[in-house]
Amino acid sequence: MCGIFGIITNQDINIGSIALEAIRKLEYRGYDSCGMVSIENTDLQILKDSGKIDEIHEKLHFDTLNGSIALAHTRWATHGPPTKDNSHPHTDCTGEIAVVHNGIIENFIELKKELISKGHSFKSETDTEIVPHLIEEKLKEGYDFKEAVVEALKKCEGAYALSVCYAKEPNSIIVARKESPLIVGMEEGKTSYCASDIPALLQYTRNCFILEDNEMAILKAGEIEFFDIENSLKKITKQPKHINWDIDAAEKNGYEHFMLKEIFEEPDALRKTLKTSDEEIELFARKLIKADHIYITAAGTSFYASLAGKYIITRFLGKYIQEIECSEFQNKLTGALEKNTVIIAISQSGETVDTIEAIRWAKEVQKDITILAITNIIGSSITRYSDHSIITRAGPEIGVAATKTYVTQVLSLALIALKIAGLRKKLAPVELDKYYDALKSIPEIIEIFLKNNLESIKEIVQNLEKNANYFFLARGISIATAKEGGLKLKEVACRFIEGYSAAHAKHGPISLVREGFPIIFIAPPDKSYERLVGNVMEFKARGGHIISLVVDNDETISEMSDITIRIPQPSTKYYQYFSPITFIPALQLLAYYAALDHNLDPDKPLNLAKTVTVH
Ligand code: F6R
């Protein structure tokens, strides 16, 4: 939900081009408008408009911004539609203070009224615009720049990662954070940067400082100071986190889209995640074994990873795990959170506000609780509000639709499940080894699949009716795959889909089926297979156009299907819990090619942003 970037330097470099490159890397956070400000000869130079970054750059030429300081922003509209006036940066009445912001100032209506009554005039409908005006007001009251920002922030309720520059003080950028992600980094003595996310800084530094809530930093060229806003602006020392992601991982590297590249990176992401330290996995496993109550919570794709993971863990843990979508967590559990509870919270970004709110609330109302997080982002908010975290090794995921992070989340949960099986002696050692061998062979299965199936999936997509709606049906663990595969098609190709239990679909959804209605059945050879055969027949009998996902040597469901996609996976029981990982790339590719077929950009689905930091 919006990306911000800032740079201050004493080097002879084109800050406009650097800021442009940075917001391109943050575009996945919002792509309905963008803008930049620099300070030239103590005047703010602002370029901004609605539209995609490259279109705006073509019109306004961001690389014409010179000087030694710039702020930049890419927007996902919340308050006010995507228009030029609502684009960031926003300024005060004097035109000397500029702000870029990610988050929401919740009490902005009341603050705006107060500021209007004091004579301020506003140009936009945004919540952000109150910030430069508040700072202006505080400067008028006699505070210096730093104090004025702090005093202004004291009046703001809500979430912010913001970056401020002031024409009269062109040697510093002030940044502050509350609940929205913000990192800073520098090339010592030369240039300092701030950004919403790591990919924007990776090119310049691998040592990033992650701001915590209520921290502020003052950036000067190649120099950064940190302050605690809540503790009378006391100076603090922070240690940088070393980021070992490949720079290339945040580039398209010859692929047409990040989504396709990231699907192709799944084998590597899985191999790296297979190397998660055994101690971390065991710690999670032991906490779950000891717990009396277990919940698993997340949003969107991460929630579907939870569905698959809870299924695998339950098999070996012998305890019920309740999944609850993060946005309903508090509603469902108010008055019911008991002692000795473990909550597994999953979020690739680690910043989804509803997931964070769920775990923060849980900790507040029940002290005897352990929060275990699975995230892809080191130092993200979720890691701070959790007792223990596992960091998946997917590397940067830029495509808005989650792909490689999903498979690594399910893999992490599968590793915990197998660890539990070992600790609880639920499987003989030989059997357990075979499950581990199966898990370790998954990257290769996906590699073979990707190598041999691109053309056939493209062809399937080309032959599908363009405006069709779809059912994605499955039983057992594959319901997670049906829902996640369906979500991908919905997001990137804008098709209406229903991802549902094949058994339950008879209790209503089947009434929609007519001649040619496309139904995608997820049919790995597990315990649900035989009953799924019956479900396929029911839908076929009503004219359904059956597309099935089966393993290589499948005979029954493939015979009944109009189209078959075969996953090169052995049909032994050792793979039965892992099909959510091996089957999903096929559906991700289907969604990807369907988006292209509809002339849609799969990396930037309509109305979506990768990190959802609003309720
Ligand atoms: C779907 C997608 C979203 C996210 C959801 C949660 O492709 O990306 O549904 O899965 O917004 O995000 P995280 O995992 O960052 O909490």
Side-chain angles (χ1 to χ4, degrees), residues 5 66 187 213 251 274 291 349 351-352 390 410 524 555 561 610:
F5 176 77
N66 284 309
E187 291 167 284
D213 283 351
E251 304 290 341
L274 276 166
S349 64
E351 301 292 345
T352 297
I390 286 179
V410 182
E555 286 176 357
S561 306
K610 191 153 186 75

Side-chain angles (χ1 to χ4, degrees), residues 273-326:
T273 302
L274 276 166
K275 292 189 185 138
T276 307
S277 97
D278 202 44
E279 293 88 81
E280 283 172 24
I281 301 285
E282 185 165 335
L283 189 146
F284 272 51
R286 288 195 185 277
K287 294 279 178 202
L288 292 171
I289 291 171
K290 281 200 197 135
D292 288 331
H293 312 278
I294 305 172
Y295 301 98
I296 189 160
T297 192
T301 289
S302 297
F303 185 68
Y304 297 145
S306 313
L307 292 186
K310 90 157 207 170
Y311 191 99
I312 315 172
I313 294 176
T314 305
R315 290 295 168 276
F316 300 113
L317 184 63
K319 278 184 221 172
Y320 186 66
I321 300 176
Q322 174 71 55
E323 77 279 9
I324 302 183
E325 279 165 0
C326 54

